């Protein structure tokens, strides 16, 4: 263990008036034989914040922030390693407050351990004596890959609702199994997640959806989602999704109800589209209750997903991408869209085309746990390969003319962007026309089309931006996927 610690920390331990400990994830990971690319280095001792800062500065550390009320110091050493120090303390919470209402400093390591969340995170390493200190039996829990709370589970989760998300996330990341009392305590306190800010919930959900990546635990994100479901936390943060629990689907398409299909789509999804995969069928329960079928679920799902992400204060750009992916996730699901129409769809959705195919694959695999290539994607990739072989443009930069060329050819400046889009759509279907001379020869017809389009939009009160947002093809109806 000592060999893994920065030399600066070893010097600091010698300078301290009392033993200095490493605690938390770094110790847990060492004892479980794991390594992390970005390890947490949390340190602690009975020494007060001011005395610690003085010792740290003597060793060349730079304090970044000092919070005397909580005994917390954030600091960096000369090699830019980051550390967080806390004095031994015991906290008192009022149920659901998330932050302690009283803090008591102590020299009792067992009391300090009991203010933490899980015993696996409450094993200490004394840097000076090179010994592990285990007040609550965390080493045994690490060895047995178990998550157990440091105190009565009802009390631990009742103190801080964010621990409900941390339970699911850490179980997924570590591949550890919560014990029965832990799960029961989380379920008893599930409603407390609503006391946590939406931003914190979204941040934890984002980490959970990447849980398999931290230590390479296969399907860790799926395991975490299942814990959120089992404890009832998912019902509080994503009720639109859990409304699909028990809603059966067509057996020729699906082996699972709507909720489990959504969880499995996220399980099989590429990391880039996991949140979209989790939410992709959010419109199905709504449509089933309203219509008795799921025909309109892509449109309603896009709307509902947008509302969910706004509620969770997700970044606007990411939310819009997810909304668009959900809107089109069933496009050409039956493989009957004709090549010309499909190419125009590719052009209109080029920025998100790869992500859309990843979502389609996740949706397909989540139906019956089939990891073979999605049939729609096979068709699409073949058509994209044909476009490339034929020189058919997919993006404006691949078009044989530019805006400058159109201006030099006396195209109306106000219509340049419309004419370029029209030319791109045309050349995607008719790649032989993707030559400068040919496109300029056809310029009058494109200008006329652009003028007519603009007049129609003005008559309908539709802005150019709205026209761009509605640029895809109509969604196929009677969608059962």
């Amino acid at each position: 263990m000592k060999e893994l610690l920065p030399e600066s920390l070893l010097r600091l331990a010698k300078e301290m008036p009392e033993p200095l400990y490493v605690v938390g994830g770094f110790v847990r990971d060492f004892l479980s034989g794991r390594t992390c690319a970005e390890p947490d280095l949390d340190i602690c001792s009975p020494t007060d914040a001011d005395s610690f800062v003085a010792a740290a500065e003597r060793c060349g550390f730079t304090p970044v922030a000092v919070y005397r009320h909580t005994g917390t110091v954030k600091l960096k050493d000369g090699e830019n390693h980051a550390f967080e120090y806390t004095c031994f303390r015991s906290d008192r919470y009022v149920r659901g407050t998330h932050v302690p209402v009283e803090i008591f400093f102590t020299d009792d390591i067992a009391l300090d351990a009991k203010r933490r969340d899980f015993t696996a995170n409450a094993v200490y390493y004394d840097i000076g004596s090179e010994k592990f200190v285990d007040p609550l039996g965390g080493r045994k829990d690490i060895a047995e890959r178990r998550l157990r709370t440091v105190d009565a589970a009802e009390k631990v989760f009742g103190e801080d609702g964010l621990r409900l998300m941390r339970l699911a996330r850490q179980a997924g990341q570590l591949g550890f199994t919560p014990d029965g009392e832990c799960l029961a305590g989380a379920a008893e306190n599930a409603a407390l997640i609503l006391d946590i800010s939406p931003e914190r919930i979204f941040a934890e959900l984002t980490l959970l959806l990447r849980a398999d990546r931290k230590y390479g635990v296969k399907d860790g994100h799926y395991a975490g989602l299942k814990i959120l479901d089992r404890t009832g936390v998912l019902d509080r943060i994503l009720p639109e999704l859990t409304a699909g629990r028990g809603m059966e689907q067509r057996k020729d398409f699906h082996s699972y109800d709507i909720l489990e299909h959504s969880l499995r789509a996220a399980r099989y999804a590429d990391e880039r589209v996991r949140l979209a995969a989790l939410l992709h069928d959010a419109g199905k329960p709504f449509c089933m209750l309203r219509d008795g079928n799921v025909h309109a679920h892509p449109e309603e799902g896009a709307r509902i997903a947008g509302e969910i992400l706004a509620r969770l204060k997700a970044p606007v750009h990411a939310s819009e991408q997810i909304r668009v992916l959900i809107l089109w996730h069933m496009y050409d699901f039956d493989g009957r869209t004709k090549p010309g129409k499909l190419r125009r769809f590719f052009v209109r959705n080029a920025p998100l085309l790869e992500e859309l195919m990843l979502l389609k694959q996740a949706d397909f695999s989540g139906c019956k746990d089939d990891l073979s290539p999605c049939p729609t994607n096979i068709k699409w990739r073949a058509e994209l390969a044909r476009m490339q072989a034929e020189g058919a443009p997919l993006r404006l930069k691949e078009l044989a003319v530019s805006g400058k060329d159109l201006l030099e050819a006396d195209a109306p400046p106000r219509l340049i962007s419309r004419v370029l889009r029209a030319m791109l759509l045309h050349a995607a279907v008719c790649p032989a026309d993707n030559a400068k001379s040919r496109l300029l020869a056809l310029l009058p017809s494109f200008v006329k089309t652009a003028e007519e389009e603009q007049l129609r939009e003005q008559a309908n009160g539709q802005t150019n931006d709205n026209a761009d947002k509605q640029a895809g093809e109509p969604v196929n109806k009677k969608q059962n996927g």
Side-chain angles (χ1 to χ4, degrees):
M1 177 77 171
K2 183 178 179 180
E3 289 74 15
L4 299 177
L5 300 177
E7 187 64 33
S8 60
L9 198 56
L10 303 182
R11 292 196 302 271
L12 178 56
K14 293 179 181 178
E15 186 68 25
M16 290 283 291
E18 297 172 278
L20 181 65
Y21 299 88
V22 181
V23 68
F26 191 91
V27 178
R28 178 201 65 217
D29 292 349
F30 175 81
L31 293 173
S32 63
R34 299 181 186 275
T35 56
C36 179
E38 298 178 1
D40 297 321
L41 269 170
D42 295 326
I43 53 179
C44 59
S45 86
T47 303
D48 66 85
D50 288 330
S51 299
F52 171 77
V53 168
E57 288 180 330
R58 289 195 297 272
C59 293
F61 286 79
T62 302
V64 177
V66 180
Y67 306 96
R68 291 176 178 81
H69 175 65
T70 60
T72 302
V73 180
K74 295 185 178 182
L75 67 163
K76 292 185 178 181
D77 65 10
E79 297 181 2
N80 215 35
H81 294 122
F83 306 85
E84 182 168 302
Y85 171 83
T86 53
C87 308
F88 283 1
R89 70 176 198 246
S90 179
D91 302 333
R92 186 175 74 82
Y93 289 81
V94 172
R95 177 178 168 82
T97 56
H98 180 53
V99 293
V101 294
E102 285 187 89
I103 293 173
F104 309 92
F105 295 111
T106 180
D107 59 2
D108 187 341
I109 198 169
L111 282 178
D112 186 73
K114 282 206 164 190
R115 76 174 177 84
R116 301 179 185 275
D117 48 13
F118 309 112
T119 58
N121 299 326
V123 181
Y124 299 70
Y125 176 74
D126 185 332
I127 299 172
S129 67
E130 302 180 30
K131 293 180 179 178
F132 292 98
V133 181
D134 183 12
L136 305 176
R139 293 189 71 171
K140 185 172 187 292
D141 290 324
I142 292 170
E144 296 179 358
R145 305 171 69 81
R146 177 173 55 233
L147 283 180
R148 182 169 59 87
T149 53
V150 295
D151 207 332
E154 196 282 332
K155 175 180 181 293
V156 170
F157 291 112
E159 290 175 343
D160 183 358
L162 192 61
R163 288 172 175 166
L164 298 161
M165 297 292 296
R166 285 171 53 83
L167 169 66
R169 191 246 302 167
Q170 290 195 30
Q173 288 176 334
L174 297 165
F176 284 16
T177 302
D179 69 2
E181 182 186 351
C182 187
L183 289 170
E188 179 71 20
N189 289 278
L192 293 183
I193 194 61
L194 299 178
D195 295 331
I196 304 302
S197 71
E199 294 90 343
R200 297 292 297 276
I201 293 173
F202 181 75
E204 280 290 332
L205 181 61
T206 300
L207 290 172
L208 187 155
L209 289 172
R210 300 171 183 162
D212 62 320
R213 297 295 300 276
K214 186 164 187 178
Y215 302 106
V217 175
K218 181 176 172 57
D219 293 334
H221 56 298
Y222 175 70
L225 289 171
K226 293 293 285 185
I227 289 173
L228 290 183
D229 183 28
R230 183 173 176 181
T231 57
V233 175
L234 199 64
D235 290 273
R236 271 73 177 191
I237 62 173
L238 296 175
E240 301 89 342
L241 203 64
T242 58
R245 186 186 293 113
M247 282 189 177
E248 297 298 325
Q249 306 190 80
R250 281 182 50 173
K251 297 300 184 183
D252 51 341
F253 283 98
H254 292 275
S255 297
Y256 306 102
D257 66 16
I258 293 173
L259 174 59
E260 181 59 22
H261 167 68
S262 298
L263 300 180
R264 286 180 181 261
R267 175 186 187 178
Y268 297 123
D270 182 276
E271 183 181 335
R272 288 169 284 177
V273 296
R274 279 186 187 158
L275 184 52
L278 180 64
L279 301 178
H280 80 284
D281 275 351
K284 280 187 175 179
F286 175 84
C287 290
M288 282 295 296
L289 293 172
R290 183 189 67 182
D291 307 328
N293 60 59
V294 297
H295 298 168
H297 82 273
E299 299 95 329
E300 295 296 348
R303 175 185 61 79
I304 292 169
E307 293 171 354
I308 290 171
L309 295 169
R311 183 176 73 230
L312 293 177
K313 305 296 180 64
V316 173
H317 178 66
S319 299
E320 178 61 17
Q321 285 192 345
I322 290 171
R323 192 196 67 79
V324 172
L325 290 174
I326 292 174
L327 179 64
W328 301 118
H329 81 275
M330 288 298 292
Y331 186 76
D332 195 32
F333 80 100
D334 57 3
R336 295 180 181 178
T337 304
K338 294 181 180 179
K341 189 176 182 181
L342 189 57
R343 289 188 179 198
R344 289 190 291 272
F345 178 84
F346 289 165
V347 167
R348 287 167 172 143
N349 295 278
L352 288 176
L353 196 55
E354 184 61 31
E355 287 79 4
L356 182 55
M357 286 191 281
L358 291 174
L359 178 56
K360 280 182 166 291
Q361 181 63 55
D363 187 12
F364 175 78
S365 295
C367 291
K368 290 181 174 289
D369 301 309
D370 185 347
L371 303 185
S372 65
C374 170
T376 304
N377 286 356
I378 293 173
K379 174 192 171 183
W380 284 20
R381 293 194 186 281
E383 190 61 37
L384 286 166
R386 279 190 288 272
M387 289 180 69
Q388 185 176 27
E390 296 169 5
L394 188 62
R395 295 173 176 83
L396 281 173
K397 65 181 180 180
E398 299 165 9
L399 197 62
V401 297
S402 65
K404 181 180 178 183
D405 294 326
L406 299 187
L407 287 171
E408 290 175 352
D410 295 327
R414 73 182 191 285
L415 297 176
I416 294 299
S417 63
R418 290 179 183 274
V419 171
L420 284 172
R421 286 199 304 273
M423 286 181 166
L424 179 60
L425 290 168
H426 172 81
V429 179
C430 304
D433 286 343
N434 190 27
K436 183 175 180 179
S437 59
R438 179 61 179 160
L439 290 173
L440 291 179
L442 294 171
L443 179 59
S445 65
F446 287 121
V447 169
K448 181 179 179 182
T449 299
E451 288 175 335
E452 292 172 349
E453 179 187 72
Q454 187 177 58
L455 289 172
R456 282 196 303 272
E457 289 173 6
Q458 290 172 348
N460 294 330
Q462 182 180 1
T463 67
N464 197 24
D465 287 342
N466 286 337
D468 287 343
K469 289 179 181 179
Q470 298 173 10
E473 302 287 353
V475 178
N476 292 331
K477 297 301 180 182
K478 294 190 177 180
Q479 299 172 6
N480 298 298

